[in-house]
Amino acid sequence: MEKPDTLESLPIAVIGAGPVGLAAAAHLAERGLPFRLFEAGNSAAANVLSWGHVRIFSPWQYNIDPAARRLLSDIGWQEPLVDELPTGSELFEKYLLPLSEHPKIQPFIHYRARVLSVSRKNIDRMTNRNREAVPFVVRVQSETISQEHEFRAVIDASGTWQNPNPILSDGTWTSVETTSSDAITYGIVNVADVPDRYKNKEVLVIGSGHSAINSILDLESLKQQFPETEIHWVMRKDTLSEVYGGGESDALEARGALGTKIKSLIDTDRVSVYTPFRIQEVRRENGKFTLIGSQFDQLRSLAGIDEIIVNSGARPDFSFLRELRVEFDSTVESVPALANF
Ligand SMILES: Cc1cc2nc3c(=O)[nH]c(=O)nc-3n(C[C@H](O)[C@H](O)[C@H](O)COP(=O)(O)OP(=O)(O)OC[C@H]3O[C@@H](n4cnc5c(N)ncnc54)[C@H](O)[C@@H]3O)c2cc1C
């Protein structure tokens, strides 16, 4: 009869081959700990590739994990220049792809493998007895079959990108939103790839972060070719100066430059801004959206919108961790503390 594996002899599961999952894999490989990495996409960094055309504002020196750097250096990798700012595609090609192909990582990655659930073997979340002594069971859906694998530990690096926040300020979803996927997009749109969708339309961008700024700058390029494109921007900030960031004195030069660019578009009326605007309701009639919200305790509405791009952030998906006792920060839903390596 085959001897059952001890808990310590089992590998560690990593969920997601984004920058964080691959860095975790590098640390595990460096320590000689066995692991398997499950990635839902066709390649490493599937989420990063979905916004590959966008240039990030952190220079290379902040984007490379130390363990990953050590592993890659061993195989003659040429580190990118520390001060350059990569696009998402360059982050993939120059760093995340070679890392995923490293001989100590590549054999242990499974692509097109989505983790459906993580539980403790044979016990649900209510059971205390023997809890720490039994393995984690990870159920994975690959192309045709769902399989279960046992692990001694699990690292969830599935990110947040696939779970965007909704339009309403209170964070809830409405039926108008869930049934309007033809005219509402979440995340970064490569406007240049789909100009017909946005040209000469009334387009609303929601959110105040850098994703929103990137969306607006892309729409502005379209507006230069198709001047009847109208760009509307709704956010919750009390003042616009909070959005502009540090300008020339920003700690990250590229981030400051984005703020400076967006300020000049607003100053020249290329973009109509509504802030603070807390959206309470979305209606859609004859294909046009109307948003109703409060601005300084007054109700106001914004009508005649053809297309909405929602850039109001994203949050983790805990649904596949339901049978575990997971702790997270009750406000931002991050881990409650950082691990000490
Ligand atoms: C436009 C843009 C610009 C940015 N610029 C910067 C910047 O300048 N500086 C900075 O520090 N950060 C920046 N960020 C943020 C940074 O990109 C993210 O913090 C980072 O990508 C997060 O990495 P991650 O590995 O946690 O998640 P992700 O990159 O989202 O990777 C998660 C991976 O998990 C996979 N996955 C998800 N669910 C499952 C599942 N159930 N089973 C299996 N696999 C799964 C996904 O397919 C994906 O490959 C930017 C983000 C965006 C969108």
Side-chain angles (χ1 to χ4, degrees):
M1 206 168 104
E2 216 174 287
K3 216 169 134 215
D5 292 326
T6 61
L7 191 60
E8 288 70 31
S9 68
L10 290 171
I12 294 165
V14 181
I15 306 172
V20 173
L22 287 169
H27 283 266
L28 295 169
E30 202 174 43
R31 287 167 165 76
L33 292 168
F35 68 92
R36 293 174 81 173
L37 197 168
F38 299 107
E39 166 54 50
N42 291 326
S43 71
N47 286 349
V48 172
L49 284 174
S50 73
W51 46 267
H53 62 293
V54 180
R55 193 165 293 285
I56 68 172
F57 50 76
S58 303
W60 275 112
Q61 57 180 308
Y62 300 120
N63 302 328
I64 297 168
D65 175 82
R69 178 184 284 115
R70 287 190 290 272
L71 281 187
L72 286 167
S73 304
D74 289 347
I75 55 167
W77 172 66
Q78 184 67 43
E79 183 164 348
L81 293 176
V82 286
D83 290 336
E84 281 180 3
L85 303 167
T87 60
S89 298
E90 288 165 349
L91 192 62
F92 172 73
E93 282 154 22
K94 296 186 179 178
Y95 169 51
L96 298 171
L97 178 63
L99 183 58
S100 69
E101 291 177 339
H102 190 283
K104 288 189 174 169
I105 294 181
Q106 191 270 336
F108 310 108
I109 306 188
H110 305 263
Y111 292 110
R112 293 171 290 284
R114 176 172 292 280
V115 171
L116 301 179
S117 65
V118 185
S119 56
R120 288 278 193 173
K121 189 175 182 179
N122 292 333
I123 56 177
D124 67 9
R125 63 181 295 142
M126 299 301 288
T127 310
N128 290 333
R129 200 169 156 265
N130 218 22
R131 193 167 185 87
E132 307 300 321
V134 296
F136 290 94
V137 176
V138 176
R139 183 170 299 134
V140 181
Q141 177 73 50
S142 52
E143 275 146 290
T144 47
I145 48 163
S146 153
Q147 281 183 327
E148 291 183 353
H149 308 266
E150 292 185 12
F151 294 96
R152 66 186 276 200
V154 179
I155 298 173
D156 174 12
S158 59
T160 60
W161 188 240
Q162 287 155 12
N163 296 288
N165 287 330
I167 289 177
L168 296 194
S169 290
D170 69 2
T172 55
W173 291 83
T174 60
S175 58
V176 171
E177 193 168 358
T178 50
T179 55
S180 300
S181 57
D182 58 312
I184 302 180
T185 313
Y186 301 85
I188 308 259
V189 183
N190 193 348
V191 174
D193 274 357
V194 281
D196 290 347
R197 179 160 179 172
Y198 296 103
K199 72 179 188 199
N200 298 331
K201 301 255 182 84
E202 302 278 333
V203 187
L204 169 65
V205 177
I206 299 173
S208 59
H210 291 92
S211 297
I213 293 180
N214 274 300
S215 298
I216 288 167
L217 294 176
D218 278 6
L219 288 166
E220 164 60 16
S221 301
L222 187 74
K223 187 176 167 73
Q224 284 171 13
Q225 281 177 277
F226 301 98
E228 281 163 46
T229 310
E230 291 297 334
I231 309 170
H232 304 272
W233 190 11
V234 161
M235 65 189 114
R236 288 178 284 188
K237 298 276 185 212
D238 284 340
T239 62
L240 265 173
S241 57
E242 292 175 55
V243 176
Y244 300 148
E248 282 175 19
S249 55
D250 198 293
L252 289 173
E253 193 184 330
R255 191 172 59 187
L258 279 183
T260 306
K261 265 194 213 166
I262 206 78
K263 183 173 186 309
S264 80
L265 292 185
I266 293 167
D267 290 348
T268 53
D269 292 330
R270 302 285 292 174
V271 178
S272 308
V273 183
Y274 314 82
T275 197
F277 190 118
R278 295 185 173 81
I279 304 168
Q280 294 173 0
E281 193 184 339
V282 189
R283 295 183 195 151
R284 194 178 190 198
E285 274 171 12
N286 303 323
K288 299 264 187 192
F289 293 102
T290 300
L291 289 95
I292 296 158
S294 61
Q295 189 171 30
F296 297 120
D297 297 330
Q298 302 266 312
L299 265 195
R300 67 174 296 176
S301 70
L302 173 58
I305 300 295
D306 299 301
E307 286 281 345
I308 302 180
I309 299 174
V310 187
N311 288 143
S312 56
R315 58 180 68 188
D317 173 14
F318 295 127
S319 60
F320 63 90
L321 304 176
R322 189 82 200 265
E323 288 310 318
L324 298 181
R325 296 175 182 178
V326 182
E327 279 181 37
F328 52 85
D329 181 273
S330 60
T331 306
V332 294
E333 298 186 311
S334 66
V335 288
L338 292 178
N340 192 4
F341 282 107

